[in-house]
Amino acid sequence: MAEQNKVQEQDVNELIKVRMNKLADLQEKGKDPFVITKYDVTHHSMDIKDNFEELEGKEVSIAGRMMTKRVMGKASFCNVQDLKGNIQAYVARDDIGEESYAEFKKYDAGDILGIKGIAFRTKTGEISVHASSVTLLSKSLQILPEKFHGITDTDTRYRQRYVDLIMNAEVKDTFVKRSKILSSIRRFLDGQGFMEVETPMLVSNAGGAAARPFETHFNALDEDLKLRISLELYLKRLIVGGLERVYEIGRVFRNEGLDTRHNPEFTLMELYQAYTDYHGMMDLTENLYRYVAKEVTGSEMLTYGEHTMDLSKPFERITMIDAVKKYAGVDFNEIHTLEEARAIAKEKNVHYEERHKKGDILNLFFEEFVEDNLIQPTFVMDHPIEISPLTKKKPENPEYVERFEFFMNGWEMANAYSELNDPIDQRERFKAQEAALAAGDDEANTTDEDFLNALCVGMPPTGGIGFGIDRMVMMMTNSPAIRDVLLFPTLKSLDK
């Protein structure tokens, strides 16, 4: 196998050398493709195919990457791939001239061409361009993977996404859909009166989520800074400032592991709306997901793997306690002390740590027994206060808070609160987080004095929510891993 790879590598190096020689020859003749600065494109491939009746017999100008070529004496066919698809071109010596045709025959798969000609249909019925001129716009000096097998090594696909996009139409389609998802989210929220804003990525206090931040040093001020793990605390400051409906779509960074649903940098969307609560956020989430799914996929039914999620029906709403009772057979309404919670955890083989309180253990039960069952769209409500340091307490039961997590396909898709706006209570929650940090929880928050000052100025009752955009894209494109929806995912360096 090693010997075979060595032979293949030698073959590739020889082919690259041939391409380099072709380029040198063009440059000697004063026909260096890299000096060309523009090419006037009138149509893309699918424009011609979709509008052939009105374009037949008319001049068009296309540009793209030549993927295949068939030379047949005085006439040839090639296939050109552009943003929207691909189209065949018929190139004849008598139409483009003997010299141009001789040069065309030397072009390689991967070269970028501009072709001007007449839209027509071949004898076999294929819509094509009958070339009157062919211009080499860029010389490809690398060898594309073999067309029918593409790039089979996933690591190479992620490292060389530019080649992956060329060779795999479904990959390009995924990222076109990702762009559509983002634009449709913006359209929906803009239509609801929300304002898009931008907040800092480099912060002195990375709060708003349970995650370990990346740390860096700012030389100019000789200060340590962190990359944000959340968008929350700055967006709430804007609610204090009177911007009643705000949202941000942006990168956040968490110094955590890599797996099929986690990447250390990912796209989060958070929004905050004054004068509503977590019930308002549930209504918004239902409407947003239906709108985006219909815009992007044309349906309110989403298929992911073996599951089909129905977004047309009202989403289920269930408390965390009821969900644990339903799927684990344990009723935490009947568990009143930490000792009782620890005892039932031991009985059910749920591992907990010494620092965990009753609410933490309830959440461990939820993660162990419930999450994987939440296939259809479901809001899990009313979390224990121990795991929700930024959330309003339920007035009738202050051990729990007005929070929900949105699940589909067994995945957490969003997290929302009736936001805590009591600065005195918030300070106490921060103190509890500081204690957790001291006890070994390196994902706990630290006290943010400026945020507390903002709350002292006064924040109205507010509902807020955070959406994981990458998981949403995975769901709507049936992609198996987060790396499949990130153009350039984080990968281990090849030098290590």
Side-chain angles (χ1 to χ4, degrees):
M1 188 68 179
E3 188 63 32
Q4 184 183 354
N5 289 339
K6 190 174 180 181
V7 170
Q8 287 177 343
E9 191 175 319
Q10 287 174 341
D11 290 344
V12 167
N13 289 337
E14 286 301 315
L15 290 170
I16 290 173
K17 193 181 294 183
V18 169
R19 293 191 178 208
M20 293 292 291
N21 290 337
K22 287 180 181 180
L23 175 62
D25 185 54
L26 286 167
Q27 290 170 333
E28 276 183 29
K29 293 176 180 177
K31 296 185 176 182
D32 185 350
F34 297 124
V35 303
I36 296 173
T37 58
K38 61 173 290 188
Y39 187 83
D40 292 328
V41 176
T42 63
H43 297 81
H44 282 90
S45 54
M46 294 310 294
D47 299 334
I48 297 169
K49 291 180 177 181
D50 292 343
N51 302 286
F52 182 70
E53 287 185 10
E54 62 183 76
L55 289 174
E56 185 176 12
K58 294 181 180 176
E59 186 174 83
V60 294
S61 179
I62 63 169
R65 191 177 300 276
M66 184 173 73
M67 301 302 292
T68 59
K69 183 179 67 173
R70 287 180 291 131
V71 176
M72 300 176 295
K74 297 177 183 178
S76 302
F77 286 96
C78 69
N79 185 281
V80 175
Q81 178 175 294
D82 60 19
L83 172 67
K84 297 184 179 180
N86 59 77
I87 192 165
Q88 179 176 264
Y90 172 71
V91 183
R93 184 191 68 181
D94 294 343
D95 296 316
I96 69 169
E98 194 166 333
E99 185 180 349
S100 291
Y101 189 67
E103 290 169 357
F104 170 78
K105 289 198 293 183
K106 294 179 180 178
Y107 295 162
D108 297 298
D111 288 351
I112 296 175
L113 308 179
I115 298 178
K116 187 180 290 186
I118 302 299
F120 82 113
R121 196 187 293 272
T122 65
K123 291 177 182 177
T124 60
E126 184 169 355
I127 294 171
S128 307
V129 176
H130 188 139
S132 57
S133 70
V134 178
T135 305
L136 178 64
L137 301 174
S138 182
K139 182 69 186 167
S140 175
L141 301 176
Q142 260 294 0
I143 312 301
L144 291 177
E146 199 272 319
K147 178 66 179 173
F148 295 103
H149 297 99
I151 312 176
T152 54
D153 178 61
T154 53
D155 190 66
T156 303
R157 285 182 52 224
Y158 300 140
R159 291 185 191 278
Q160 297 184 24
R161 182 69 84 187
Y162 41 92
V163 179
D164 193 24
L165 289 165
I166 293 167
M167 301 307 299
N168 298 313
E170 69 277 7
V171 172
K172 183 186 286 186
D173 183 60
T174 292
F175 289 105
V176 168
K177 281 183 177 173
R178 182 184 176 108
S179 179
K180 288 181 178 176
I181 288 167
L182 288 167
S183 60
S184 63
I185 289 171
R186 287 185 165 100
R187 271 195 303 279
F188 177 84
L189 292 177
D190 294 347
Q192 298 290 313
F194 282 85
M195 182 172 78
E196 185 172 11
V197 298
E198 294 174 301
T199 61
M201 290 189 182
L202 281 172
V203 295
S204 57
N205 189 330
R212 182 190 301 171
F214 287 94
E215 300 183 10
T216 188
H217 186 77
F218 183 27
N219 293 334
L221 296 180
D222 192 25
E223 287 184 2
D224 289 333
L225 294 173
K226 299 177 178 68
L227 289 172
R228 66 185 180 187
I229 59 173
S230 168
L231 312 174
E232 180 168 347
L233 300 185
Y234 280 97
L235 291 176
K236 285 183 179 177
R237 286 168 167 90
L238 299 181
I239 295 291
V240 171
L243 304 181
E244 294 181 2
R245 297 187 182 202
V246 294
Y247 75 95
E248 181 173 8
I249 299 173
R251 286 290 218 212
V252 297
F253 309 87
R254 299 183 181 180
N255 200 349
E256 299 171 344
L258 293 161
D259 61 31
T260 56
R261 279 184 276 162
H262 294 88
N263 194 71
E265 59 172 311
F266 61 98
T267 302
L268 187 63
M269 190 270 280
E270 290 195 32
L271 66 86
Y272 293 85
Q273 179 179 341
Y275 311 114
T276 191
D277 62 3
Y278 73 144
H279 293 290
M281 291 296 101
M282 289 185 220
D283 295 340
L284 184 145
T285 301
E286 280 201 40
N287 294 331
L288 172 66
Y289 258 80
R290 288 192 190 110
Y291 178 89
V292 174
K294 209 160 186 180
E295 284 263 305
V296 175
T297 71
S299 171
E300 292 178 349
M301 307 293 286
L302 286 181
T303 298
Y304 187 90
E306 62 187 25
H307 300 302
T308 297
M309 279 70 68
D310 186 353
L311 304 184
S312 66
K313 300 175 182 175
F315 296 1
E316 183 182 0
R317 304 184 182 196
I318 187 171
T319 67
M320 183 177 280
I321 283 180
D322 286 345
V324 168
K325 183 178 178 181
K326 179 178 179 179
Y327 292 104
V330 175
D331 186 356
F332 268 76
N333 282 321
E334 303 300 321
I335 294 171
H336 304 290
T337 66
L338 176 58
E339 288 69 29
E340 289 172 349
R342 286 175 171 175
I344 194 67
K346 287 176 181 174
E347 180 185 323
K348 297 289 186 178
N349 295 315
V350 174
H351 174 72
Y352 63 87
E353 297 178 23
E354 195 63 29
R355 62 186 173 84
H356 285 147
K357 298 186 170 59
K358 187 181 86 169
D360 296 301
I361 293 173
L362 167 61
N363 188 53
L364 292 172
F365 268 82
F366 174 77
E367 291 173 349
E368 180 72 26
F369 294 104
V370 181
E371 284 191 8
D372 290 345
N373 294 294
L374 304 178
I375 305 303
Q376 295 303 315
T378 304
F379 295 118
V380 176
M381 309 180 297
D382 302 349
H383 294 52
I385 193 169
E386 291 90 341
I387 62 168
S388 310
L390 298 163
T391 315
K392 270 195 174 182
K393 297 173 184 174
K394 292 182 69 63
E396 71 280 11
N397 190 354
E399 288 186 7
Y400 296 88
V401 296
E402 294 191 349
R403 172 185 175 188
F404 73 79
E405 290 175 293
F406 173 47
F407 284 84
M408 280 202 304
N409 193 49
W411 300 355
E412 180 201 334
M413 304 298 292
N415 188 21
Y417 313 147
S418 296
E419 302 296 336
L420 179 60
N421 62 344
D422 178 347
I424 298 168
D425 189 356
Q426 182 64 79
R427 183 173 289 280
E428 292 304 310
R429 308 278 192 97
F430 275 140
K431 279 184 183 176
Q433 286 287 296
E434 297 273 10
L437 188 66
D441 183 357
D442 56 10
E443 294 186 346
N445 286 196
T446 56
T447 303
D448 187 327
E449 290 292 346
D450 182 71
F451 176 65
L452 287 171
N453 184 61
L455 291 187
C456 285
V457 171
M459 186 173 88
T462 298
I465 189 165
F467 291 89
I469 295 295
D470 306 302
R471 290 188 188 179
M472 188 182 196
V473 177
M474 288 173 67
M475 193 76 69
M476 293 198 180
T477 59
N478 198 12
S479 298
I482 191 170
R483 291 181 178 185
D484 296 313
V485 299
L486 297 174
L487 280 167
F488 301 102
T490 302
L491 300 168
K492 187 175 180 179
S493 172
L494 288 173
D495 298 332
K496 294 189 176 180

